[in-house]
Amino acid sequence: MATSTGSSSSPSAVPPSVATFVPLPLPLPRYPAKFTSSLPCDELSALGHGDGDEPLPDDVLNTPRLVRNAVYSHVNPENQSKGASLLSWNKEIAEAIGISKNKLERTQWTDDEYDDLVKFLTGGGRRLPSAVKDDDKQPRLAEPWALCYGGHQFGYYAGQLGDGRAISLFETENRKTGESWELQIKGAGKTPYSRFADGYAVFRSSLREYLCAEAVAALGVASSRSLALLSTETVVIREEGGEPGSIVCRAAPSWVRFGNFEIFFYRKDRKNLRKLAEYVTDEVFKLPKDDPQEVAHFAEKFRKIDIAKPTEGPETVAAEETQQTTTSPSATAATEGAAEGAPVSEPQHKPLYRNRFANMFEQIAMRTAVMVSGWQSVGFCHGVINTDNMSVLGLTIDYGPYAFLDKYDPGYICNHSDSEGRYAFQQQPGICLWNLGKLALTLENLIGAQERVDDLTWMQEQEEDPEKEKHLKDSAQDIVIEIMNKSFRDVFLKDYRQRMNAKLGLGGPELVRNEDLTSILVPALSWMDDHEVDFHQFFRDLADYKVKGTESVDDNMTEVELFVKKLLSTTIWQARGSTAVEEAKTWMTAYHSRLAQSDELKDDQKRRSRMNKVNPAFVLRNWVAQKVIERATASMKKAESGNKEDDPDKDLLEKLLWMCQHPFGEDQVDGNVDAVEGDAACEVKRNDDGLEVYGEFIGPVPDWGEGLQCSCSS
């Protein structure tokens, strides 16, 4: 019988009714998966995964329950394949995960391949013939699983959460790029972590995630990706009544979250917490092991008796062997204070050893900083930045009640369940820092052990004695706080300034000036807020601002007035247009001066081209998503009823997917006109601006679409 330390059976020993056959055109699965073979499995679901074991029935495996001592549970997706169909297929990510170039397009599949793929992605894959092999004669088998994790939701620890409707199907590796991917289906039915939910997903939420993951990635922000969107005949009951069911197949290098660490921490399960940390350092980040010679050198130079009482290094210690740190009463207090903008104390010299777990935390902090910097620069509101929705890879995941800004409003709340505005747009960087503080708590012992972290006997002694364990946590403080300051704060500010510098047309990273933040960007954002200016249209229209050889704004007021008038609504222009123009001068004076100082920046045509490559013409706003949901739903109903009338929305999803992946307008289209025009689904047309490809989905926000919010329920 299998133990709870992970599935260790050989491929040939797994009963066919337990393993799932992975059909073509999907790439060769890694079997067994590194994740499931490296980490502890739910004991109940491990039954049936050993030699000669009888598998448990699905109604037992999928029963919601408390799961202990496990990172995951083996679980089979509910079979929703009857009447299911493939609504959209993303050939871009299909290529990235390693699908053969001869199978990237739906038109390249046989009827059997189409049917098998749909069955597999809707839970019917176990009925496929297991004798089929790919060219390498390796087994195309997988053992699906769901993650067990906890998390802080709206600021409070919520206990066990887990994948309540998402099931990971298999891991794969792109043989050309070496990139690893994990495919997961969402809306796949109940798992042990569904609690009181049904495990299903409605079409509207699946469509929103399918499109937005691609939109965010195309805007240069790290994200999970979307492979396929499928409809099912499942009727899903929600607040609005019965809704059509759907499944989205999504991909990421890893789905490990902050909450995976938290559940072990709050259960005081140090053994499995370490196992998970080892896996993330080794397999997710592929960090090197701590060098024994480096460890020995550090211990000899700085440790006299015990790590619990570190010696003070001399002030003359070389810079490379000491680290500047800031101190605070505790890591928790420091990070929570930092999130609220509290000052930190003066730095002092203390010898600290950064082991691989500290380096892992630093990687997570830097990636999180770049992710949230991207959110702020493209006007993206996540809506539910709970720790269980935070990827260790700094990926945007779990798209629920998200939104892109319309009018610039720093206090905008896109989730109508967020009554206190915890996850408002302007709060996002601070919340990410707060979440990192919660992750840091789970890693304090491993980080605080410094160079002795692999002395397991010593570690056990420290962790079994409350006073000694406190020394471990105290030793972690300075390292954690330094990472918060340098690897989050500094990285965030640097990345944000570079992104906004490009959006403003002020050149590449080498041209970023600190004063631009205070003299141009902050006043411009304040002006946008005061005059209800559309965030995205602001930058597109600013690209049209012409310097025309003038040296100052006073010499160019006609252009300034034209720029302001284009951005303001008719009502606001009539009521306070002259005031808005005068107030715009407060930041446009500095902006115009910056442009006029450089031959490169004052070239109006080149600057416009550069700006339009980073400022989207098409944005997946909430009103766009809502309109697509309504029309795509009507189109599906026509198809299901056998309506033979011509359906103008038959290819709507493919058009919107293309728009999400190509958001920048004429400059992007110009670079690939032939390929775009050859795609009949997009029906590309050209006008002077090259934006007709987006049709009705760009332009002013309609009255009914202003301020649309979504909830966490879907």
Side-chain angles (χ1 to χ4, degrees), residues 208-514:
R208 281 170 56 84
E209 174 155 5
Y210 180 73
L211 293 177
C212 196
E214 293 303 295
V216 168
L219 292 172
V221 182
S223 174
S224 61
R225 301 298 299 272
S226 303
L227 177 63
L229 179 67
L230 303 102
S231 66
T232 70
E233 292 186 345
T234 303
V235 177
V236 184
I237 306 301
R238 292 294 183 264
E239 294 90 339
E240 294 81 1
E243 298 188 53
S246 182
I247 291 175
V248 62
C249 180
R250 55 189 192 174
S254 172
W255 293 98
V256 176
R257 303 134 185 279
F258 290 13
N260 287 107
F261 291 91
E262 286 188 285
I263 194 164
F264 290 136
F265 174 78
Y266 286 101
R267 289 177 173 176
K268 301 187 185 303
D269 187 348
R270 302 182 185 94
K271 179 181 177 181
N272 284 320
L273 177 61
R274 183 184 178 104
K275 284 183 180 179
L276 177 62
E278 291 274 11
Y279 174 82
V280 173
T281 55
D282 294 347
E283 299 295 342
V284 177
F285 290 113
K286 301 188 184 303
L287 298 175
K289 299 286 187 182
D290 292 301
D291 187 331
Q293 290 185 333
E294 185 180 339
V295 167
H297 171 74
F298 184 90
E300 180 182 358
K301 189 171 186 68
F302 294 116
R303 305 298 190 209
K304 292 184 178 179
I305 301 175
D306 199 316
I307 191 174
K309 298 179 180 179
T311 57
E312 292 295 335
E315 293 183 358
T316 57
V317 173
E320 66 269 22
E321 294 188 352
T322 63
Q323 297 185 28
Q324 294 269 338
T325 64
T326 55
T327 59
S328 181
S330 73
T332 309
T335 53
E336 290 181 354
E340 298 168 0
V344 293
S345 56
E346 290 298 315
Q348 66 178 14
H349 291 285
K350 183 184 288 185
L352 297 170
Y353 183 80
R354 289 277 196 93
N355 61 36
R356 63 190 181 282
F357 300 109
N359 293 336
M360 176 189 74
F361 182 66
E362 182 177 46
Q363 282 284 323
I364 295 171
M366 289 191 295
R367 288 166 179 260
T368 301
V370 172
M371 176 191 72
V372 72
S373 163
W375 291 357
Q376 302 308 108
S377 70
V378 302
F380 177 75
C381 310
H382 185 280
V384 197
I385 320 173
N386 297 327
T387 55
D388 55 295
N389 293 333
M390 295 286 289
S391 160
V392 296
L393 283 172
L395 303 174
T396 311
I397 59 172
D398 294 354
Y399 291 85
Y402 67 79
F404 285 94
L405 291 177
D406 291 326
K407 295 173 182 176
Y408 178 72
D409 175 7
Y412 176 65
I413 304 166
C414 67
N415 179 359
H416 73 59
S417 301
D418 185 10
S419 57
E420 296 182 359
R422 177 178 178 83
Y423 300 134
F425 178 69
Q426 65 184 352
Q427 297 288 93
Q428 293 185 140
I431 289 297
C432 286
L433 185 60
W434 189 91
N435 289 344
L436 281 166
K438 295 305 177 188
L439 177 63
L441 280 178
T442 73
L443 300 172
E444 279 182 332
N445 286 5
L446 295 174
I447 294 173
Q450 299 187 43
E451 85 279 8
R452 296 195 66 177
V453 72
D454 290 323
D455 185 342
L456 299 184
T457 301
W458 180 85
M459 282 288 293
Q460 185 175 358
E461 290 175 354
Q462 308 307 301
E463 292 181 327
E464 289 177 350
D465 184 321
E467 188 62 30
K468 290 181 179 179
E469 186 175 40
K470 183 178 183 300
H471 286 308
L472 284 182
K473 297 181 184 300
D474 291 343
S475 297
Q477 288 178 21
D478 292 341
I479 298 173
V480 168
I481 294 168
E482 182 184 43
I483 290 172
M484 294 294 199
N485 283 336
K486 293 186 177 180
S487 301
F488 183 86
R489 287 177 178 274
D490 291 356
V491 169
F492 170 82
L493 285 172
K494 180 180 179 180
D495 190 72
Y496 181 69
R497 283 171 169 162
Q498 290 179 357
R499 288 177 185 266
M500 299 308 291
N501 203 63
K503 289 177 73 70
L504 289 166
L506 296 178
E510 70 283 356
L511 296 179
V512 172
R513 297 182 184 177
N514 291 336

